[in-house]
Amino acid sequence: MHRINDTLSSALSWGIKREQAFPRNWAKLVELPAVTRPKPLVWTPERVERWKRTGERPGPVMVWTP
């Protein structure tokens, strides 16, 4: 939602500056909820084994170590 609003706001601002197509940038008045990014979890042997048994990922964002 934040990226969509940023894109729309940018396009409206451009339209206001360049073409005077819009009287006001209404996208700047939108208040969106705060976003909390999920913390990545490392694939450990225990987590891999559990994933293989259940098919459930331990978290929404999983990373491997080098």
Side-chain angles (χ1 to χ4, degrees):
M1 288 190 309
H2 286 272
R3 288 183 182 174
I4 292 170
N5 188 52
D6 290 344
T7 302
L8 180 60
S9 180
S10 176
L12 289 173
S13 291
W14 181 87
I16 290 169
K17 289 179 189 174
R18 303 283 193 268
E19 306 291 329
Q20 287 82 32
F22 311 104
R24 187 170 184 171
N25 187 348
W26 297 103
K28 288 189 176 185
L29 301 176
V30 174
E31 292 182 21
L32 297 173
V35 176
T36 56
R37 293 181 180 221
K39 184 177 178 181
L41 295 175
V42 176
W43 282 107
T44 61
E46 295 83 17
R47 289 179 177 151
V48 171
E49 182 59 36
R50 181 174 177 225
W51 170 68
K52 286 180 180 179
R53 279 188 287 113
T54 65
E56 294 178 20
R57 288 190 316 184
V61 178
M62 301 298 297
V63 296
W64 293 100
T65 59

